[in-house]
Amino acid sequence: MQSPIRKKLLEAFRQANGEFLSGQALADIVGCSRTAVWKHIEDLRKEGFKLDAIRKKGYRILHTPDRVSQNEIHLGLNTKSLGQTIYYEETVPSTQKLAHQYAQNGAPEGTLVIADEQTEGRGRLMRNWHSSKRTGIWMSLILKPQLPPQRAPQFTLIAAVAVVQAIEEVWDLHPEIKWPNDILLNGKKVTGILTELQAESDKINSIIIGMGTNVNQTIEDFPQELHSIATSLAIEKGQMIPRSRLVQKILEKLELYYEIYMKEGFSPIKLLWEGYAISIGKEITARTITGEIKGKALGINDDGVLRIQDHSGHIHEVYSADIEV
Ligand code: BTN
């Protein structure tokens, strides 16, 4: 975990908004000696930050590296709780697996587990999730809502709305949602969401929301079998995207919608979600473990369950399936 001094130092630079801060001012803000400040600044440089240091003026940050460790995410993060505690690793088997361990050991609400690479990234239905080094955002967020476990599937939809809006606002791209957890750009998957639970029969202990977003991959970075179904933000936008900015924005949006959801329930989220959903009102095929359902997607109910009307008029409630539009 990141040291509290480092966190305060980065927050001071963020508030200074590109202006110089003297060594003494920094020492006063973070509550340590000027020598300690200087040491932290040297460490930041080693991590790829570029800092100006001018006599009698002090320091300012000129460039933040495209990394997703605590430093880059905390510099500019505007949340009260989500992402305030971050565990970053360069390489892990799966952030999801690690987040389960942290949750079990009492990690606070809003804890984020993030890595630059996953060697055993997991998707829904026990599929692999391709997570190559420094190209995407592989992260798992721990929430601890006081709710019954049946409400957990709604969190996939809250997260989907947050990710779509983050991508829209910062990069002016217009993703769509394919129920329940796929975020698509031009029909190809850019983000997948995996919501898992630690719960007792009547209450949630922790929800782990795993989010994988393809950010700076070129098409060659994906294995051949994904070429026709996966894309990245960089491919769609035609430019590299700073990953930490997207992480910040997702956390900010998620915090907003999580608060709305806890105060007002699922209805406002449902409305937003339906506005982004590609399948609603269309003829679709849902492949479930018990077979195929063909029909018109009517929408989702208050549990986030997909309702499909088949050709005989019967309405099916689908909890888990692969959808073809
Ligand atoms: C899916 O679409 O099937 C869900 C994919 C979820 C992938 C993310 S990446 C971060 C977290 N760690 C994992 O191992 N999986 C999730």
Side-chain angles (χ1 to χ4, degrees):
M1 218 202 325
Q2 191 185 34
S3 84
I5 293 188
R6 177 72 66 84
K7 203 169 159 190
K8 280 190 203 160
L9 195 65
L10 289 167
E11 180 54 23
F13 279 123
R14 186 182 80 78
Q15 285 186 6
N17 213 5
E19 295 298 313
F20 281 96
L21 285 170
S22 72
Q24 190 56 54
L26 286 167
D28 292 343
I29 293 169
V30 303
C32 66
S33 67
R34 288 176 61 173
T35 317
V37 166
W38 176 80
K39 210 179 147 305
H40 277 282
I41 284 180
E42 283 311 297
D43 287 345
L44 287 174
R45 285 198 170 115
K46 281 187 204 133
E47 289 168 26
F49 282 81
K50 292 211 168 35
L51 286 117
D52 235 1
I54 295 192
R55 252 170 67 85
K56 300 218 168 105
K57 276 185 150 179
Y59 304 95
R60 66 174 176 176
I61 290 191
L62 294 175
H63 166 81
T64 310
D66 182 36
R67 297 180 69 235
V68 287
S69 68
Q70 296 94 335
N71 294 338
E72 292 76 23
I73 295 173
H74 280 150
L75 184 69
L77 176 65
N78 203 358
T79 60
K80 286 179 272 188
S81 105
L82 303 200
Q84 290 301 320
T85 302
I86 296 179
Y87 292 96
Y88 161 79
E89 301 283 344
E90 204 157 299
T91 302
V92 287
S94 156
T95 58
Q96 199 73 358
K97 216 162 135 188
L98 203 54
H100 272 286
Q101 287 165 13
Y102 285 124
Q104 227 146 26
N105 294 332
E109 159 124 316
T111 297
L112 184 73
V113 182
I114 186 161
D116 263 316
E117 179 182 35
Q118 295 186 118
T119 52
E120 292 165 27
R122 291 195 281 122
R124 230 165 40 96
L125 310 171
M126 303 304 286
R127 292 180 183 137
N128 293 332
W129 180 260
H130 186 258
S131 329
S132 56
K133 198 162 191 164
R134 299 225 170 113
T135 53
I137 295 173
W138 324 128
M139 66 183 192
S140 301
L141 183 72
I142 301 172
L143 296 181
K144 305 195 155 207
Q146 292 186 359
L147 291 173
Q150 306 83 273
R151 302 275 292 272
Q154 295 175 336
F155 282 79
T156 299
L157 311 185
I158 301 173
V161 168
V163 173
V164 166
Q165 289 200 350
I167 294 173
E168 262 189 335
E169 267 185 34
V170 185
W171 288 283
D172 196 28
L173 289 165
H174 301 287
E176 297 173 304
I177 304 175
K178 190 167 93 168
W179 183 89
N181 70 335
D182 291 355
I183 296 179
L184 310 180
L185 276 168
N186 292 324
K188 292 182 174 183
K189 185 154 167 173
V190 72
T191 301
I193 299 168
L194 177 68
T195 302
E196 295 178 323
L197 258 194
Q198 292 181 7
E200 288 161 43
S201 60
D202 58 341
K203 78 174 182 68
I204 291 171
N205 292 330
S206 296
I207 290 190
I208 322 285
I209 308 178
M211 290 167 270
T213 298
N214 301 323
V215 184
N216 284 326
Q217 289 97 333
T218 61
I219 195 70
E220 293 78 36
D221 290 327
F222 292 109
Q224 185 68 36
E225 68 272 19
L226 296 183
H227 282 192
S228 60
I229 53 172
T231 190
S232 73
L233 296 176
I235 293 172
E236 300 302 323
K237 187 72 190 168
Q239 68 183 63
M240 300 289 273
I241 304 282
R243 289 176 301 152
S244 55
R245 183 73 201 103
L246 184 56
V247 174
Q248 290 162 348
K249 202 69 189 174
I250 293 173
L251 293 174
E252 286 161 18
K253 289 283 176 188
L254 198 43
E255 185 164 279
L256 170 74
Y257 289 118
Y258 180 34
E259 266 177 29
I260 292 178
Y261 170 79
M262 293 306 281
K263 275 195 207 119
E264 298 173 34
F266 188 54
S267 305
I269 310 294
K270 183 174 170 233
L271 269 180
L272 287 167
W273 187 92
E274 286 182 337
Y276 293 116
I278 42 170
S279 37
I280 308 306
K282 292 201 180 130
E283 287 297 314
I284 64 165
T285 304
R287 291 199 181 85
T288 72
I289 36 169
T290 51
E292 242 180 45
I293 303 165
K294 280 182 191 291
K296 187 173 171 181
L298 299 178
I300 50 171
N301 71 12
D302 281 345
D303 295 326
V305 170
L306 183 65
R307 298 171 69 244
I308 303 175
Q309 185 165 41
D310 69 20
H311 300 293
S312 71
H314 179 72
I315 295 176
H316 301 255
E317 298 209 320
V318 178
Y319 287 80
S320 176
D322 274 335
I323 301 294
E324 204 176 284
V325 184

